[in-house]
Amino acid sequence: MKVLEFLKDTGRQAVSAAVFSLAATAAQAAVCNNPNLDVVVLGSGGPELDDRRASVGYLLRENGKARILVDFGSGTSLNFERAGAKIEDLQAVLLSQFHVDHANDVPALVKGSFFSDRSRDLPVYGPSGNKTVPGLNQYLKRLFGADGAYSYLSGFLDGSESFRLKPVTVSADTAKPTVFSASEGGFRISAVPVTHSIIPALGWRVEKDGCAVVFSSGTSNMGRTLDKITSGANVFVAHNAIPEGSTDRIALRLHMPPSEIGRIAGQSGVRNVVLSHFMNRTEHVQPATAQAIRSRYAGALAFAQDCDIYSVQSGKKTGSCAK
Ligand SMILES: [Zn+2]
């Protein structure tokens, strides 16, 4: 897309668009050439147990086949099943952080794989740790190591089972917010450290055939590091864990308000925003949330439900794994 057409398309974003770097403009010009990629929302809730939603997790599929799993919080394993996903088809698992609502069902995935035909090692990408929170290697060892809580699954770490979890640690140091890149099964994977209070966390971007999906993870986006991977995303899955105008100082260090989601989407030329990770405090204020986002972003906006399926190319909801 030519720059002028882009400016016309985004209308009100013309002012902020004008300050885009050349590189960002080039990324926005990418055309998504693959109509067969979709995202299944395996869970759209947070950690609360009275929100009638599974905690967060997302599945990127191609031609209906599971390819990239992003987070696997409480309850997502059931929707993985409903989506007809097979562990054998996964190219990689991307973990954004080790809060329960983002990683609780990881042991269920590993145990479930015992009954699958998987024989290829499964790359698992996740954040480095700090004094408070374990990094990926320690997290996996505490679960599946010889002394781990699920030591009976240690064969998936030591290689004596039919396949091995292959950990790839990505720096979550927000003081050095370098963009990490890798490639898995034809998908380009990028990550950047994002601020989530004292919890090491990563935002993820997955691309194929000019199509890009970005997962914000939980973040306040202090330092605006997430902006490094959002340029021109077809779908931006953004977490709506606090309402606009929140004065909860602890929550504000963990999560970004809707206006920040709108700023990122508007300035990055995002085409479709899909909101997720709702909590009771954001569940009943959706009109105000939409207004705060739309004040800075003119593209499409959706409030996800568990099992929603979104086309990456069009950004439109195409179905549900619950039916
Ligand atoms: Zn969370």
Side-chain angles (χ1 to χ4, degrees), residues 43-307:
S44 57
E48 295 160 313
L49 292 186
D50 58 354
D51 60 2
R52 289 186 252 176
R53 296 174 186 264
S55 301
V56 287
Y58 309 99
L59 184 64
L60 181 62
R61 306 189 302 185
E62 184 171 19
N63 293 312
K65 281 192 167 183
R67 289 304 187 207
I68 309 285
L69 182 61
V70 183
D71 282 352
F72 210 50
S74 320
T76 50
S77 53
L78 176 60
N79 291 332
F80 185 87
E81 240 177 88
R82 284 176 168 152
K86 289 191 179 305
I87 295 164
E88 294 90 316
D89 293 333
L90 286 175
Q91 301 288 353
V93 176
L94 315 179
L95 298 173
S96 65
Q97 52 157 303
F98 300 122
H99 267 162
V100 167
D101 57 321
H102 293 246
N104 186 70
D105 280 7
V106 169
L109 183 77
V110 174
K111 178 59 201 171
S113 71
F114 179 82
F115 302 96
S116 77
D117 292 328
R118 188 169 188 106
S119 56
R120 281 179 302 137
D121 287 352
L122 178 59
V124 179
Y125 291 77
S128 55
N130 61 17
K131 281 182 203 154
T132 315
V133 181
L136 176 67
N137 279 317
Q138 204 177 9
Y139 169 79
L140 291 175
K141 272 187 196 150
R142 286 179 180 180
L143 287 174
F144 310 119
D147 299 320
Y150 303 109
S151 55
Y152 78 113
L153 300 174
S154 60
F156 291 101
L157 270 192
D158 67 24
S160 58
E161 277 295 348
S162 56
F163 75 94
R164 189 166 44 170
L165 301 171
K166 204 176 85 184
V168 182
T169 301
V170 178
S171 169
D173 183 359
T174 50
K176 293 179 210 145
T178 313
V179 176
F180 167 91
S181 281
S183 183
E184 291 288 356
F187 291 86
R188 184 178 164 79
I189 293 163
S190 310
V192 73
V194 292
T195 303
H196 192 47
S197 188
I198 56 163
I199 310 296
L202 301 167
W204 290 102
R205 180 183 178 106
V206 184
E207 291 166 273
K208 187 173 190 187
D209 301 330
C211 314
V213 188
V214 172
F215 302 90
S216 73
S217 177
T219 181
S220 62
N221 203 29
M222 284 172 191
R224 295 189 170 181
T225 56
L226 186 59
D227 293 45
K228 290 176 181 285
I229 59 164
T230 47
S231 179
N234 297 86
V235 175
F236 175 35
V237 179
H239 286 181
N240 178 212
I242 55 170
E244 190 64 18
S246 172
T247 54
D248 181 334
R249 288 175 60 194
I250 294 171
L252 281 165
R253 290 173 60 82
L254 287 160
H255 304 293
M256 54 187 168
S259 53
E260 176 63 1
I261 295 171
R263 183 198 62 76
I264 297 167
Q267 290 188 357
S268 304
V270 165
R271 273 97 162 180
N272 301 278
V273 170
V274 173
L275 297 179
S276 182
H277 197 302
F278 299 105
M279 297 185 63
N280 281 311
R281 60 198 178 205
T282 55
E283 194 77 72
H284 305 297
V285 292
Q286 291 185 351
T289 297
Q291 194 179 28
I293 293 173
R294 290 198 191 288
S295 69
R296 295 177 164 192
Y297 160 74
L301 175 65
F303 290 76
Q305 295 289 338
D306 286 12
C307 264

